[in-house]
Amino acid sequence: AIDVIGRDLLDILPSPDNFPDLGKNHARLLETKQPQIGHVYTVPGEEGDETWIVNRIPVLNEAGQVKYVIRTSYEVPQLTHAYHALEESRTRLLDAVIRARLTYRVGSDDGKSSVIGPGATTTLGFDNDIVTLTDAEYVARIHEADRDRVRRTYDRGNRDADRFAVEYRFVRPDNDVIWIRETAEIVPAGAGDKLARRVGTLQDVTEQKQIEIALRQSEARLKGFLDHAPMIMYLKDTEGRFLLVN
């Protein structure tokens, strides 16, 4: 015990309050010959009581009687630390997702609805951070000018079971219109699943689209100016190659 946990075995014996239960459990193990998993007891420590979890596995002889018992013990804080580390990692990941204005969309088992979130509030403007919408309800929020095109993309993705990406305008619950880039793939049905499911991400790319639109408008104004200028105008690079001529 000293080599493994740095403490003497006598230091991690259960408190006397646990002795009656331990005796009953041992007698029950000898009688039933069945493992006992996840029993909890306390150990007095220098900084207060510690909680330990014990597993007992009986090993039988050729006559079917208990020959000896394998016992494993571990302190709960060790497991708690692992859970805390996992939760911290999850929190950091979720924070990064929210900052990227990203959320997840996972199709239901029946293939008729999707769970969206976490991130449905930041990305799509819903009151709840995780929402469930039928496919019809979600498509109804796609801008009418993009709706048919997106439906065709969905149908093609479902038919070919390919990964796809599509951009479209989405009408938030507050009626603001944003641009969404959806990337998804069809996950084949596994054991116990009736249908394949669509799994993917939704990202608010409104600012990027606004920049792209402004750039196209600027290029269009420049082209219009060049096309109607009463003189020859051109643009060359440093090596003398023509880049633009009206």
Side-chain angles (χ1 to χ4, degrees):
I2 293 178
D3 293 337
V4 176
I5 62 175
R7 297 167 64 179
D8 190 274
L9 185 60
L10 295 177
D11 294 336
I12 58 173
L13 287 177
S15 66
D17 293 341
N18 296 128
F19 287 172
D21 289 337
L22 292 174
K24 292 178 183 178
N25 290 336
H26 185 70
R28 189 179 303 112
L29 182 143
L30 296 178
E31 179 183 354
T32 64
K33 304 178 181 63
Q34 296 298 315
Q36 296 177 349
I37 306 298
H39 284 214
V40 178
Y41 69 87
T42 58
V43 173
E46 294 180 357
E47 300 180 0
D49 289 346
E50 302 171 355
T51 301
W52 287 70
I53 294 180
V54 176
N55 302 317
R56 303 178 185 85
I57 312 296
V59 177
L60 308 182
N61 58 22
E62 295 179 356
Q65 301 301 314
V66 176
K67 183 178 182 181
Y68 53 86
V69 177
I70 297 175
R71 169 177 162 170
T72 62
S73 303
Y74 59 91
E75 189 182 1
V76 172
Q78 297 173 353
L79 187 60
T80 302
H81 292 329
Y83 284 146
H84 286 169
L86 181 62
E87 182 62 24
E88 289 177 1
S89 177
R90 177 184 178 277
T91 299
R92 288 194 295 268
L93 176 60
L94 182 58
D95 181 65
V97 166
I98 292 175
R99 290 179 184 275
R101 303 185 72 83
L102 185 75
T103 188
Y104 302 97
R105 184 182 180 196
V106 180
S108 62
D109 293 337
D110 60 12
K112 297 180 180 179
S113 62
S114 299
V115 175
I116 300 172
T121 299
T122 303
T123 307
L124 303 179
F126 289 103
D127 291 335
N128 297 323
D129 205 41
I130 299 177
V131 297
T132 300
L133 299 178
T134 66
D135 289 350
E137 289 172 334
Y138 184 83
V139 171
R141 289 203 166 273
I142 296 175
H143 195 283
E144 60 182 356
D146 301 330
R147 199 172 294 152
D148 289 341
R149 174 175 57 84
V150 175
R151 278 201 187 103
R152 290 194 295 271
T153 301
Y154 286 166
D155 291 342
R156 185 166 57 252
N158 291 336
R159 182 182 64 250
D160 299 336
D162 285 338
R163 183 181 179 88
F164 66 85
V166 60
E167 293 183 352
Y168 51 83
R169 284 161 289 183
F170 183 90
V171 182
R172 291 162 47 111
D174 59 7
N175 290 324
D176 280 352
V177 178
I178 60 174
W179 277 94
I180 290 294
R181 176 183 294 125
E182 179 174 2
T183 303
E185 60 184 332
I186 306 301
V187 178
D193 295 330
K194 296 179 180 179
L195 300 170
R197 298 193 297 172
R198 183 188 303 134
V199 177
T201 60
L202 307 170
Q203 185 174 19
D204 181 354
V205 293
T206 304
E207 293 182 3
Q208 179 181 334
K209 293 298 291 187
Q210 290 173 339
I211 293 173
E212 292 175 358
I213 292 172
L215 179 59
R216 286 198 297 268
Q217 291 174 343
S218 177
E219 291 175 343
R221 286 194 295 268
L222 175 61
K223 186 176 185 302
F225 172 75
L226 292 176
D227 290 345
H228 295 86
M231 62 189 75
I232 296 176
M233 301 181 69
Y234 57 85
L235 180 66
K236 286 185 177 181
D237 61 17
T238 56
E239 297 181 1
R241 292 174 296 194
F242 286 96
L243 301 177
L244 183 66
V245 180
N246 67 344

